[in-house]
Amino acid sequence: MMNRLFFRRLEIKALTTGFSTLRQWGKTQSPKTVIWECTRDCTMACIHCGATGREGDRDDLSTDEIRAVVRDLAALGVKRFLVTGGEPLVRADMLDILQKAKECGMETGFSTNGLAISEENIGRIVRVADSIQVSVDGTTKTHDEIRKTPGAFSGAIHALKLLKSHGCRQSCMTSIISPLNLPEIGDLYRIAKENADLWRVGTVMPVGRAAGNSSLFLSDGQLRSLLDFITGRMDDSFPILTGENLGWLGKDYDRKIHRHDFFFCGAGIISCCIGADGRVRGCPELPPDPCFLAGDLRTERFSEIWERGFDQYRDEGISHTSAVCRDCSDVDVCRGGCRVMGLKGMNCTMKRVGSCNESRLPFGE
């Protein structure tokens, strides 16, 4: 374990120091992944959603504007162009933009609630998207209630089955876990195995509709129970990924769950998000507040924003963290944890899973 952690520290140090060194030489390393939040509109009203509709009075980027951005990304050497929302398929030109990104040599993908995937458009979807994430947050009743949409569960499962039957390169089922669906974690695992290539598991973030609803956040004991469940299935051949908002899980959980990868928040270093209205920020989960913005594509090119912005993410001293974090022996691997979770003081997963005496919860399968 110690050897693995040693090499993990070296990898993270190489990423951050290498990035800083190149900048000192006047060269900013291009992002590997850019996420486009193509719209904040949606066909559902999920109780945990961080994108609660249109922000302010700015229009979304037009087709011509985002096409120009895609060309700029390709010229910069971006490898992956991913789309989120809102619901991406609400936007009529979204598949056209993905096709443009593929023509420019980038890998593509998008996240969806699945309702708009049909026999009529599935052929084009699997041609223009390399990976597709479909959200499933519970069994039929629970999922429909969380999403405030009758038929949401059946629509998501239908979408996953269409993706599989039409040869989607990678279909991922994503589940956001809260106290409402934690008792169904075994059912979610089974549903994912039956219908997708991998399962991505995250927890509710304290933004958007969830910001003021503490009942949606897992207690420390519930979080440990979730990680215990995942750990108990890591010997299975079915891949399970944990969401970035969980961050560094502490030495014990991390070595069991991140066997073939390691957590590193790449915001502002290897990735960033283009907001629906063209304002750029480090992470798609962060709200589009001025303090999180790096630039505006309506006044600057993406390459210019990437070159001069994101200082708060590129600080090797991790000055954004608290004094407690900076004094922690694991700060070089966790880097202060998830900034979004930090909005409500839930950014230290290691502390949450290591300090609570609440008993673990049993799960039925």
Side-chain angles (χ1 to χ4, degrees), residues 97-301:
I97 301 304
L98 282 184
Q99 183 173 329
K100 177 65 176 178
K102 280 194 74 69
E103 291 170 354
C104 288
M106 288 181 275
E107 297 177 17
T108 58
F110 68 95
S111 303
T112 176
N113 60 39
L115 279 191
I117 295 180
S118 65
E119 293 283 359
E120 289 70 33
N121 62 17
I122 186 64
R124 187 171 187 216
I125 285 173
V126 299
R127 287 195 301 272
V128 302
D130 298 302
S131 62
I132 299 166
Q133 297 187 42
V134 179
S135 299
V136 178
D137 295 321
T139 55
T140 305
K141 182 174 183 291
T142 303
H143 181 79
D144 288 4
E145 288 179 351
I146 287 173
R147 303 221 153 225
K148 301 291 184 183
T149 307
F153 178 84
S154 60
I157 299 304
H158 180 62
L160 284 167
K161 291 184 182 299
L162 282 175
L163 291 170
K164 180 171 285 191
S165 65
H166 284 76
C168 178
R169 294 171 186 83
Q170 184 185 83
S171 62
C172 173
M173 188 180 108
T174 61
S175 300
I176 302 300
I177 305 302
S178 72
L180 298 177
N181 58 8
L182 185 60
E184 297 180 359
I185 194 73
D187 293 311
L188 285 167
Y189 176 71
R190 173 184 54 78
I191 293 166
K193 282 188 71 174
E194 291 173 355
N195 296 285
D197 298 320
L198 65 151
W199 186 33
R200 188 176 188 85
V201 181
T203 58
V204 176
M205 298 191 191
V207 289
R209 293 192 185 98
N213 189 353
S214 60
S215 68
L216 295 177
F217 307 138
L218 296 179
S219 69
D220 294 350
Q222 289 170 329
L223 178 58
R224 286 204 311 271
S225 296
L226 171 62
L227 295 179
D228 286 343
F229 181 90
I230 295 171
T231 298
R233 280 135 193 92
M234 293 310 294
D235 288 329
D236 198 334
S237 59
F238 182 67
I240 305 175
L241 304 178
T242 54
E244 290 91 342
N245 67 313
L246 291 176
W248 166 239
L249 305 175
K251 296 180 180 67
D252 184 45
Y253 280 118
D254 211 81
R255 70 182 175 86
K256 295 174 182 176
I257 292 175
H258 289 152
R259 294 181 181 181
H260 307 296
D261 61 359
F262 63 91
F263 166 75
F264 176 77
C265 176
I269 298 176
I270 58 175
S271 64
C272 70
C273 173
I274 297 170
D277 62 4
R279 293 182 294 178
V280 181
R281 59 191 190 270
C283 169
E285 307 300 342
L286 283 169
D289 297 342
C291 60
F292 299 127
L293 299 179
D296 188 342
L297 288 171
R298 287 188 165 134
T299 60
E300 298 175 272
R301 290 168 61 91

Side-chain angles (χ1 to χ4, degrees), residues 332-346:
D332 56 340
V333 286
C334 92
R335 293 176 56 81
C338 173
R339 292 173 189 243
V340 184
M341 299 299 283
L343 297 175
K344 290 288 186 180
M346 297 186 289

Side-chain angles (χ1 to χ4, degrees), residues 51-67:
T52 54
R54 196 173 296 275
E55 297 281 338
D57 58 0
R58 286 171 56 110
D59 293 332
D60 292 350
L61 292 176
S62 69
T63 300
D64 288 342
E65 285 176 316
I66 191 61
R67 280 180 177 273

Side-chain angles (χ1 to χ4, degrees), residues 16 33 52 87 105 201 256 266 294 309 347:
T16 55
T33 302
T52 54
E87 168 52 49
V201 181
K256 295 174 182 176
N347 51 308

